[in-house]
Amino acid sequence: MSRTLAEKVWEAHVVRHGSGAEPDLLYIDLHLLHEVTSPQAFDGLRLANRKLRRPDLTIATEDHNVPTVDIDKPIADPVSRTQVETLRRNCAEFGVRLHPMGDLEQGIVHVVGPQLGLTQPGMTVVCGDSHTSTHGAFGALAFGIGTSEVEHVMATQTLPLRPFKTMAINVDGALKPGVTAKDIILAVIAKIGTGGGQGYVLEYRGAAIENLSMEARMTVCNMSIEAGARAGMIAPDQTTFDYIEGRPHAPSGADWDAAVEYWKTLRTDDDATFDAEVHIDADELTPFVTWGTNPGQGLPLGANIPDPEQIADENERVAAEKALTYMGLEPGTPLRDIRVDTVFLGSCTNGRIEDLRAAADVLKGKHVASGVRMLVVPGSMRVRKQAEEEGLDKVFLDAGAEWRQAGCSMCLGMNPDQLAPGERSASTSNRNFEGRQGKGGRTHLVSPLVAAATAVRGTLSAPADLEN
Amino acid sequence: MDAFTTHTGVGVPLRRSNVDTDQIIPAVYLKRVTRSGFEDGLFAAWRGDEHFILNQEPFKAGSVLVAGPDFGTGSSREHAVWALMDYGFRVVVSSRFADIFRGNAGKQGLVAAQCSQSDVELLWKLLESEPGTPVTVDLTDKTVRAKDLVAPFEIDDYTRWRLLEGLDDIALTLRHEAEISDFEANRQTWLPTTDPLQAV
């Protein structure tokens, strides 16, 4: 029977099929942990006197709470410090490999997994973090789970789940220069809405997707959750194999050949059908930015702030009115006129080496506008090291940006890197929710290229605007 | 987990769509390592506004939240469910829930009752015109009732059965331990482990 990629990976992991309303039991190949969503799960194991079944399929890193300066000193916030120390104690007690602050392999959990070669095609990958969808870029079935599920995976290495529906996101054509993976995914979310993907696994397909690098594919899959989908996937191909080969945990020798042979079967069959299909023409895309307080409220950079009165759907109209009030924006204002205070380059969406290179390329020989601060936060310590080897840190510092240590940083208001109330940012992260980057902070989601150009001009801008 | 069959309490009309989990509980409240006391973070930003619904009588004592579509989007934080339950909510009614939130709710015994948007609108009108109206949520016949209004809701049969019985997911899965071991014995040998690599 013909099957989609998601169905093939699902079937390969069914421990037992549920009967009637009972869900399938799915085996989990890799469980990623961080300090925020794991303490209550470890506690649950202890209370029930259960063991962590497969520490050898589990890995932890510290990312959400960690400061990105002065990492050689104890974390100043006592509550954050307790959470990080709790993770360290739990990992020691249950035998889980942990990359703590300062370690070369420390970083955002979704940057670390792929970089170590732990994320491979056809695997099931879970983490108590909704951006686990990132790993779907390798053709893995990867999704975020809650803390009860984290405990469940710890105890059983499985999850009871009902099959997802499948949705094809066909991105045909070719991206114009200056248009990136971030613009693709923001356009997808604006098109299908923040609830459009609910219940689905998205499979991104088409020429524009095939031409993306692995890191760009991760950017696309990362934000699948912002369209409501648990997971996003891209069929593995030579680009995928080339990225994995030689990484620390990649198979080698005869194992490599066997793995690649299997990975090549991980494609949606030609005559398989999806439960839904969406088409996006890559040729039509331009740099995309958000204006509101959910990631679906986005528009091309050349557009103006929409007028809520023109929105027919009542719920959407009310949401737009509330968003504009929160964001302090007037209908009809050109997006390019919006002035920002802060530019944040980083996160599991856009904190990898290619993102830093792209932004550095724009910033080279230029300076961040006066009154604007720019934070550059590598997704992992290894990305930081590589960037320094390439001299990117100097480009950022010469431009007047801050060069930080690795972590989730300003993507979420959980560590010292936050917006002040009323402060406005252009951010390469993934969520523009009210208060996401700090209470009262106002977020515009952008690509690394737009972030860099915005830092130089002080208003939302694309690199092309710098040439005028 | 406590079993849930029926619950009657004060209904709270929350006229907002896309209530993401960062609104339900902002990240700064996620730093606890314990499993209780999250009620202080519930809707923290909104509760600073004296006009917010939960700052008004009789809604302060609410236990059935009636919200707009796309409730619980965004972050996977189960703390959103803990915050709602620690505050006293037992049920959230919405026409559409984010998948992870719905799953988390089911694990903890918070009923995510999916009603039609038109029934949500009727509930909003009723609860606003007659504040404090008791709302009854019956998991046995899958209805939300308030005065003359009877709104059917959807919830998947397996979650419903577990909630009615108050069953622990992990214990249910461990009944199949032998099948898990069989599966593990047949996994591809080249699949990665996280064991630290030996220097060659």
Side-chain angles (χ1 to χ4, degrees), chain A residues 23-365:
Chain A
D24 290 347
L25 195 61
L26 215 63
Y27 198 80
I28 302 302
D29 291 320
L30 178 64
H31 189 191
L32 307 163
L33 299 177
H34 60 84
E35 74 277 13
V36 181
T37 54
S38 64
Q40 293 85 358
F42 278 115
D43 237 12
L45 287 189
R46 263 190 296 266
L47 285 171
N49 206 16
R50 287 174 175 139
K51 282 198 291 211
L52 198 155
R53 184 179 178 92
R54 296 295 300 263
D56 61 329
L57 302 183
T58 312
I59 188 167
T61 179
E62 300 166 358
D63 56 8
H64 284 60
N65 275 276
V66 303
T68 56
V69 288
D70 296 335
I71 60 165
D72 51 333
K73 301 192 178 78
I75 299 177
D77 176 355
V79 197
S80 284
R81 192 168 67 232
T82 300
Q83 202 162 56
V84 167
E85 284 169 355
T86 302
L87 180 70
R88 291 178 187 177
R89 264 200 316 278
N90 283 330
C91 286
E93 180 182 341
F94 287 90
V96 174
R97 172 174 161 193
L98 166 70
H99 292 293
M101 248 177 20
D103 186 278
L104 179 60
E105 301 302 345
Q106 178 268 343
I108 308 174
V109 66
H110 309 307
V111 177
V112 169
Q115 161 183 290
L116 285 169
L118 284 168
T119 305
Q120 296 174 18
M123 289 172 60
T124 46
V125 180
V126 298
C127 174
D129 187 283
S130 60
H131 291 112
T132 310
S133 57
T134 311
H135 307 262
F138 292 81
L141 181 61
F143 48 91
I145 57 179
T147 297
S148 290
E149 290 171 307
V150 170
E151 184 182 336
H152 195 284
V153 176
M154 285 174 171
T156 71
Q157 204 58 32
T158 65
L159 277 177
L161 287 168
R162 238 169 306 279
F164 304 118
K165 292 179 287 181
T166 58
M167 183 187 291
I169 308 281
N170 302 292
V171 190
D172 297 313
L175 292 174
K176 289 196 285 261
V179 186
T180 67
K182 185 66 165 282
D183 304 305
I184 293 179
I185 189 62
L186 286 174
V188 167
I189 299 161
K191 184 171 176 122
I192 70 175
T194 56
Q198 272 171 31
Y200 290 95
V201 175
L202 311 183
E203 184 184 331
Y204 303 95
R205 308 150 56 80
I209 299 295
E210 287 162 22
N211 286 327
L212 294 177
S213 69
M214 272 324 292
E215 298 200 348
R217 292 179 189 184
M218 286 189 247
T219 299
V220 171
C221 288
N222 172 274
M223 289 187 71
S224 302
I225 181 70
E226 265 57 69
R230 282 291 279 275
M233 299 176 90
I234 295 172
D237 58 12
Q238 196 58 45
T239 302
T240 322
F241 310 150
D242 290 347
Y243 179 94
I244 297 171
E245 192 168 14
R247 289 188 182 267
H249 289 271
S252 59
D255 280 346
W256 172 259
D257 296 336
V260 170
E261 193 181 338
Y262 172 62
W263 294 344
K264 284 181 173 168
T265 68
L266 296 173
R267 313 189 63 80
T268 292
D269 296 324
D270 290 340
D271 50 350
T273 51
F274 291 90
D275 297 305
E277 294 219 32
V278 170
H279 291 270
I280 300 257
D281 187 351
D283 297 280
E284 303 279 306
L285 295 177
T286 57
F288 219 84
V289 303
T290 63
W291 52 266
T293 54
N294 75 56
Q297 292 172 321
L299 283 169
L301 177 61
N304 297 342
I305 300 286
D307 183 353
E309 290 192 15
Q310 308 290 318
I311 299 173
D313 180 85
E314 193 190 332
N315 271 312
E316 277 186 37
R317 183 170 63 244
V318 173
E321 282 166 357
K322 284 184 169 151
L324 291 185
T325 304
Y326 181 84
M327 294 294 287
L329 294 170
E330 292 296 325
T333 310
L335 291 168
R336 274 198 169 83
D337 289 355
I338 297 174
R339 186 159 289 283
V340 305
D341 308 294
T342 293
V343 173
F344 170 58
L345 174 63
S347 86
C348 59
T349 313
N350 282 125
R352 286 170 285 267
I353 190 71
E354 288 179 12
D355 301 311
L356 301 191
R357 283 181 195 144
D361 204 38
V362 175
L363 285 172
K364 199 161 196 160

